[in-house]
Amino acid sequence: DMKRKLPGIGFDQFKSVLYQILNEGRFRNLILSGAEVTTFEDLRRYIQFAASLGWFKKIQIQTNGRRLADRRYIRQLIDCGVNEFFVSVHGLEQVHDAVAQVPGAFLETLKGIRNLEAFDVNTITNTVLTKSNIYDIPELFALLLGERISEIHLWNYFPMERRDTKDLVVSMKDFVGLLPRLITLGKEAGK
């Protein structure tokens, strides 16, 4: 729905915004995201332009990581100027595939994360904590801590409506109960 409601930014507007950032000397990092940005056919053109300015220290792609299962695609993005990947992981295989609504999505995403290890890029993962994945989190973190990932983010689910009609919000008590296990896992992994 987002693609229909919020159309992508046109290339001329994109250039204008980046020139404004450059002229004001602000925002040294650029994040390219939205409605799975890797499905945007003109993405490489946008990245190349941003990189050509020589201003941004980081050019990050936020992605579900499925297209990263193709190393040639990763190479194309890096050659254009991407140096950081922010990959969403929704849970272990069953939960991840259910959220993505694509059988095999978890394995593709994991392959993409592992493919990134062959390149000199920064890799970050993000998992949104919900009632559907809370029991996966320790095992998921143990798995991710074994990969070459610089940061593993765990975000609280925030409903985009007045109430949590999907019943996904994890209580603070349950979240706090989860933290000691995650901290221990991180320490054991040296991260």
Side-chain angles (χ1 to χ4, degrees):
D1 289 345
M2 282 178 79
K3 285 184 179 181
R4 287 189 297 275
K5 293 177 186 173
L6 299 170
I9 184 171
F11 189 65
D12 288 339
Q13 186 179 4
F14 179 76
K15 289 188 339 185
S16 176
V17 168
L18 294 193
Y19 281 134
Q20 183 178 352
I21 288 169
L22 183 64
N23 291 335
E24 293 174 3
R26 301 171 58 189
F27 309 120
R28 297 304 303 261
N29 301 326
L30 178 66
I31 298 171
L32 301 170
S33 178
E36 189 46 46
V37 72
T38 62
T39 63
F40 179 50
E41 299 219 6
D42 231 7
L43 178 61
R44 286 180 280 177
R45 179 179 178 210
Y46 283 59
I47 296 166
Q48 286 171 331
F49 175 76
S52 75
L53 297 175
W55 174 252
F56 297 104
K57 291 179 182 176
K58 291 183 184 174
I59 298 179
Q60 180 191 93
I61 296 290
Q62 290 187 352
T63 176
N64 64 28
R66 291 180 55 218
R67 288 209 59 200
L68 306 180
D70 178 354
R71 282 186 183 207
R72 291 171 301 176
Y73 182 70
I74 295 172
R75 171 52 55 204
Q76 290 170 358
L77 293 177
I78 292 169
D79 287 348
C80 290
V82 174
N83 57 9
E84 187 167 82
F85 292 82
F86 185 90
V87 182
S88 297
V89 183
H90 306 298
L92 294 174
E93 189 169 359
Q94 184 177 353
V95 171
H96 184 91
D97 288 2
V99 171
Q101 299 178 4
V102 177
F106 177 79
L107 294 177
E108 284 181 312
T109 298
L110 190 57
K111 182 177 180 184
I113 289 169
R114 289 176 174 161
N115 281 344
L116 289 170
E117 293 178 8
F119 301 95
D120 184 25
V121 295
N122 190 40
T123 304
I124 300 167
T125 64
N126 175 54
T127 302
V128 176
L129 180 65
T130 67
K131 286 183 181 177
S132 67
N133 70 6
I134 189 169
Y135 299 107
D136 281 2
I137 298 300
E139 189 177 341
L140 177 65
F141 268 51
L143 173 71
L144 295 174
L145 285 164
E147 304 298 329
R148 201 183 95 194
I149 296 170
S150 67
E151 300 174 34
I152 300 171
H153 291 207
L154 182 63
W155 292 3
N156 189 37
Y157 173 73
F158 184 80
M160 300 297 234
E161 52 194 3
R162 290 187 185 270
R163 297 179 320 122
D164 179 21
T165 59
K166 295 179 182 174
D167 193 31
L168 292 173
V169 175
V170 171
S171 73
M172 192 54 67
K173 179 182 175 191
D174 289 342
F175 171 68
V176 169
L178 185 63
L179 282 179
R181 290 176 72 193
L182 301 181
I183 291 168
T184 299
L185 286 168
K187 285 181 180 178
E188 288 172 355
K191 294 185 180 184

